[in-house]
Amino acid sequence: MYILKKVVLFAVALSQLVPVGCAPTPSENIKTSELQRRSARYPSVDQRLFNFGKTQYFAGTNTWWLGHLFSNDDVNLALSDIAATGYKVTRVWGFGTTNDASTSTDVYFQVLNSTGQYFNYNTRNGIARLDYAIAAAEQYGIKLILPLLNNFDDLGGINTYTNVYGGTHQGFYTNTAAQNAYKKYIKFIVQRYKPSTAIFSWELCNEPRCSGCDPSVITKWATEISAYIKSLDKKHMVSLGDEGWLTSTSSYVPNFENSYAYSGYEGVDFEKILAIPTIDYGTFHLYPNYWGYNYSWGSTWIEQHNAIGKKAGKPVVLEEYAVPDGEDRLSIMGAWQDTVINKTSVAGDMMWQFGIKFPSGAQPLDNFAVYYGTPEYQVLGNQHAKAMTAKKGTVSALVATA
């Protein structure tokens, strides 16, 4: 039955969200005691690292599609293999908005249109799919980063708000009606899942940008929205989800002042964001070939963000990094991983993206996917996860300038 309910905001214990008998069986490759330890507490900041029951470095991955899969078997297989890899964290889209439910063929959680704001409680293609993914993550001892908005149009980005409430993409951050609707969605998601220890952090947006804006626009928005989330849930961490853009005023940009990643053009100032009290840790992404840099520059970008994190006294996470299939990913991404482990105190890194063959035949993956069980994955996935978990102590911050 197709069910859309008018916005009703309430807290629901996670055990009430998944029908009895639907929770998956933990992977036999992971000891039950390890799963219990991973799942027993809310992750938290411990100086420049995170505490998952013990304070440690971590490796993780991205599975944007986990809460958008129609098949429970697909969810279970993905989480089983992620746990068997030794990954601690994966990133899953916590958004899914459409302006027209009648034409949507995807899972979606919210409808915004001229008649109002609605949440989709349909058990086949609504919030029940995210319910299941979060309950399954608890069973497998995996923590989830949930971005609550997308900068881009896929699956409900900023433009699904401006389509209804008017204005431009850049104007979203100061559009009162759009922000009120976004806060209602935040409240719906946060109150629904805040009892869960599977949540690693709430994320304000996947790769927020305000192209051509002064960075103060997003800094002010991030300050307000992160404080709002903290007012709803004081137990979980909050992050922005940005790419880590720097500005020409940064002390970490010699020799790069006039280039894209250091220009402030996308309206984000990583250093200012990290200084917000209600932002618990910093995020940055890495796609050199799409930003106009050589792959070798990637290690410079990593070292610079590590140095900024050290100065701020907060953890930083390399939240996305990828090289397309067909290139020498073992050498390129392996060099970045070596930088993370041996030259920085970056708290964690998360490869984009985890790949498997889904039992249902679903195909949500792109050409960046590194497939579980392949020789490439053995090195970039399994071996790296083991090395990150085993890493001890801190590494002196290095400020790369060339």
Side-chain angles (χ1 to χ4, degrees):
M1 181 178 177
Y2 186 83
I3 305 172
L4 280 177
K5 295 185 178 178
K6 192 72 174 177
V7 173
V8 179
L9 302 171
F10 54 91
V12 182
L14 189 61
S15 61
Q16 297 176 309
L17 303 180
V18 181
V20 175
C22 287
T25 302
S27 168
E28 294 180 358
N29 295 319
I30 305 297
K31 293 180 180 179
T32 301
S33 60
E34 169 66 7
L35 289 172
Q36 290 171 340
R37 185 187 62 76
R38 289 188 192 180
S39 303
R41 60 176 295 156
Y42 298 100
S44 60
V45 168
D46 186 354
Q47 299 182 64
R48 292 201 59 211
L49 300 177
F50 299 103
N51 189 307
F52 297 83
K54 68 176 182 179
T55 298
Q56 63 184 111
Y57 293 91
F58 76 89
T61 190
N62 283 265
T63 52
W64 69 262
W65 32 261
L66 197 70
H68 286 263
L69 295 170
F70 289 98
S71 165
N72 290 351
D73 289 342
D74 289 351
V75 174
N76 296 343
L77 179 62
L79 287 169
S80 174
D81 290 347
I82 288 168
T85 301
Y87 283 149
K88 300 291 190 295
V89 183
T90 189
R91 191 159 161 259
V92 176
W93 286 176
F95 55 80
T97 301
T98 182
N99 296 132
D100 187 354
S102 68
T103 62
S104 179
T105 58
D106 298 314
V107 171
Y108 61 94
F109 310 139
Q110 175 180 226
V111 179
L112 294 173
N113 58 35
S114 60
T115 68
Q117 180 177 15
Y118 307 86
F119 298 146
N120 182 11
Y121 289 83
N122 185 291
T123 57
R124 187 188 72 86
N125 68 351
I127 197 66
R129 301 312 309 148
L130 188 58
D131 291 347
Y132 187 85
I134 292 173
E138 285 189 348
Q139 294 294 314
Y140 285 96
I142 300 298
K143 307 302 183 184
L144 308 180
I145 296 173
L146 289 189
L148 302 175
L149 179 70
N150 197 8
N151 177 69
F152 308 102
D153 288 342
D154 298 326
L155 297 174
I158 283 173
N159 287 338
T160 59
Y161 287 83
T162 59
N163 289 343
V164 175
Y165 301 107
T168 64
H169 185 284
Q170 287 86 344
F172 165 80
Y173 300 99
T174 55
N175 182 322
T176 300
Q179 291 305 305
N180 287 340
Y182 178 46
K183 285 180 179 178
K184 288 180 181 178
Y185 183 72
I186 289 172
K187 189 173 184 180
F188 167 62
I189 294 294
V190 170
Q191 289 195 333
R192 192 173 187 89
Y193 300 124
K194 70 179 183 180
S196 175
T197 57
I199 304 301
F200 183 82
S201 71
W202 310 112
E203 202 157 81
L204 274 56
C205 186
N206 171 54
E207 298 187 340
R209 296 180 179 183
C210 190
S211 304
C213 302
D214 189 276
S216 62
V217 173
I218 284 185
T219 300
K220 182 179 179 181
W221 175 78
T223 301
E224 178 182 346
I225 297 299
S226 61
Y228 177 68
I229 294 174
K230 289 289 190 180
S231 75
L232 299 173
D233 177 12
K234 294 179 172 57
K235 292 182 178 179
H236 288 102
M237 297 180 289
V238 177
S239 53
L240 177 57
D242 59 305
E243 294 150 287
W245 304 120
L246 300 178
T247 71
S248 59
T249 61
S250 172
S251 59
Y252 298 92
V253 299
N255 302 332
F256 297 106
E257 288 91 344
N258 297 316
S259 65
Y260 173 59
Y262 304 88
S263 66
Y265 173 75
E266 298 296 357
V268 176
D269 184 334
F270 177 79
E271 292 183 81
K272 293 288 179 61
I273 295 298
L274 201 55
I276 298 171
T278 43
I279 293 292
D280 292 291
Y281 65 93
T283 64
F284 65 107
H285 298 180
L286 180 56
Y287 295 93
N289 54 325
Y290 290 88
W291 298 347
Y293 301 91
N294 296 325
Y295 283 127
S296 60
W297 167 84
S299 290
T300 298
W301 189 243
I302 294 167
E303 291 175 20
Q304 288 169 335
H305 286 79
N306 176 61
I308 294 168
K310 181 181 180 182
K311 181 180 178 182
K314 289 185 177 181
V316 294
V317 174
L318 175 54
E319 191 179 60
E320 290 186 24
Y321 63 100
V323 173
D325 187 27
E327 301 207 35
D328 187 0
R329 298 201 285 199
L330 285 175
S331 295
I332 298 166
M333 296 169 70
W336 299 340
Q337 291 180 344
D338 180 73
T339 298
V340 168
I341 290 177
N342 295 312
K343 297 181 180 179
T344 76
S345 294
V346 167
D349 64 45
M350 305 175 64
M351 187 164 56
W352 182 282
Q353 64 171 309
F354 176 79
I356 55 169
K357 300 294 185 182
F358 294 96
S360 71
Q363 296 180 324
L365 304 175
D366 56 26
N367 69 333
F368 293 112
V370 180
Y371 283 81
Y372 181 80
T374 62
E376 205 174 38
Y377 190 91
Q378 289 293 324
V379 176
L380 297 174
N382 299 85
Q383 292 180 23
H384 180 62
K386 183 177 180 180
M388 285 293 282
T389 301
K391 182 177 176 179
K392 306 294 183 184
T394 58
V395 180
S396 296
L398 303 177
V399 182
T401 61

